[in-house]
Amino acid sequence: MSATGLQPSKLGTKEHWDNVYDEELQNFGEFGDEGEIWFGEDSVDKLVNWALQNVPPKNDLSILEVGSGNGTLLFALAEAGYTADTLLGIDYSEGAIALASSIAKSRNREGIQFHCCDFLNEEPPLLTNTRTVDGAAWDLILDKGTFDAIALMQKDNHGKAPIDGYPLRVARLLKPGAHFLITSCNFTEAELQDKFMTPATGLRYHSRIPYQTYTFGGRSGSICSSVAFVKPAAT
Ligand SMILES: C[S@@+](CC[C@H](N)C(=O)[O-])C[C@H]1O[C@@H](n2cnc3c(N)ncnc32)[C@H](O)[C@@H]1O
């Protein structure tokens, strides 16, 4: 579906996510159920493989997931060899942070940091070992479904869509030469390129992760898109 036709929905409200994570936290406490894997396990495997190839584990990395939910992607990165203290998840729902932190404890992955932070309005905290370059802190920023959720928020009183400020925030937080990897089911690859590769962000296309495609009504597409962008290194 074209993102330009998206209507505001409850998925764009904090209240919705607070309710989701309150329930998931209760289920985790009662049954050990870690909650929904957004876009499925296959997408998590593909994202981890992309990271291993393009931003391999190193002790001085700083990796941020925006809207980390139950933390599935960060746990998978830790399983794949990324040191826990190089990983930070932020989410604006306190319930998501409580759930991810409880899962981290149960998996002995307490070194992964989870912090409550509204990405659109607050600065993500820095990891202890982060070296900033020109004020930018992150070697890799991940988004799996969060830009999609933000795209479903109501416009503000001035008619401005909250999503419009997102690409520039990402670009500002990336170190020169660092990557942003986004997975979306609401935006096509071309739409993501349009949103993130602007003169203001300076981001460039890096690569895409292929998913199974379908053909319908003579047009081909895939259920979700994962696209990586890179912030050019300073010259
Ligand atoms: C579709 S869920 C995806 C969660 C997780 N990335 C995953 O793949 O399981 C979207 C997440 O974005 C979070 N979120 C939405 N708007 C946010 C914002 N402004 N700042 C931080 N997190 C936000 C929600 O609380 C929710 O956890």
Side-chain angles (χ1 to χ4, degrees):
M1 182 218 263
S2 165
T4 47
L6 291 177
Q7 292 297 317
S9 109
K10 65 175 186 172
L11 269 74
T13 65
K14 182 170 179 295
E15 189 189 2
H16 168 78
W17 294 108
D18 285 345
N19 290 337
V20 166
Y21 292 117
D22 282 354
E23 193 178 327
E24 290 198 350
L25 188 59
Q26 195 175 336
N27 287 340
F28 181 67
E30 286 179 23
F31 316 112
D33 178 352
E34 295 185 355
E36 178 160 357
I37 301 186
W38 212 257
F39 305 144
E41 277 177 37
D42 182 47
S43 77
V44 175
D45 292 345
K46 286 178 189 288
L47 295 171
V48 170
N49 285 335
W50 182 95
L52 288 170
Q53 277 170 25
N54 295 288
V55 191
K58 274 198 300 174
N59 283 342
D60 62 350
L61 279 182
S62 294
I63 299 179
L64 170 69
E65 184 183 5
V66 179
S68 48
N70 61 8
T72 305
L73 180 55
L74 295 179
F75 294 127
L77 288 173
E79 296 294 329
Y82 290 83
T83 317
D85 62 8
T86 63
L87 305 172
L88 170 72
I90 57 164
D91 203 290
Y92 73 172
S93 171
E94 295 81 358
I97 299 306
L99 175 63
S101 304
S102 303
I103 297 172
K105 194 168 178 195
S106 75
R107 290 181 175 222
N108 280 329
R109 294 284 185 199
E110 283 161 288
I112 304 176
Q113 302 277 312
F114 291 100
H115 281 278
C116 202
C117 171
D118 177 349
F119 184 69
L120 296 180
N121 297 302
E122 295 167 322
E123 288 296 303
L126 296 182
L127 292 167
T128 324
N129 298 328
T130 294
R131 283 179 305 107
T132 57
V133 181
D134 298 337
W138 303 96
D139 299 290
L140 173 61
I141 299 182
L142 300 160
D143 178 317
K144 183 160 79 70
T146 302
F147 189 66
D148 284 358
I150 291 174
L152 299 172
M153 286 174 72
Q154 295 276 4
K155 291 185 174 168
D156 69 15
N157 292 340
H158 309 285
K160 196 170 159 19
I163 197 182
D164 292 348
Y166 184 113
L168 208 49
R169 287 187 80 76
V170 164
R172 192 172 49 76
L173 292 171
L174 289 171
K175 289 179 187 167
H179 296 82
F180 171 56
L181 175 61
I182 178 165
T183 303
S184 165
C185 68
N186 282 344
F187 295 88
T188 63
E189 183 179 330
E191 286 169 335
L192 290 172
Q193 291 194 21
D194 240 36
K195 297 266 176 210
F196 285 92
M197 288 166 48
T198 64
T201 66
L203 296 180
R204 296 203 184 136
Y205 176 79
H206 177 268
S207 53
R208 63 189 286 273
I209 298 176
Y211 288 89
Q212 208 178 355
T213 54
Y214 65 87
T215 304
F216 183 75
R219 291 185 65 189
S220 295
S222 45
I223 305 288
C224 58
S225 314
S226 293
V227 187
F229 300 95
V230 63
K231 178 164 166 173
T235 47

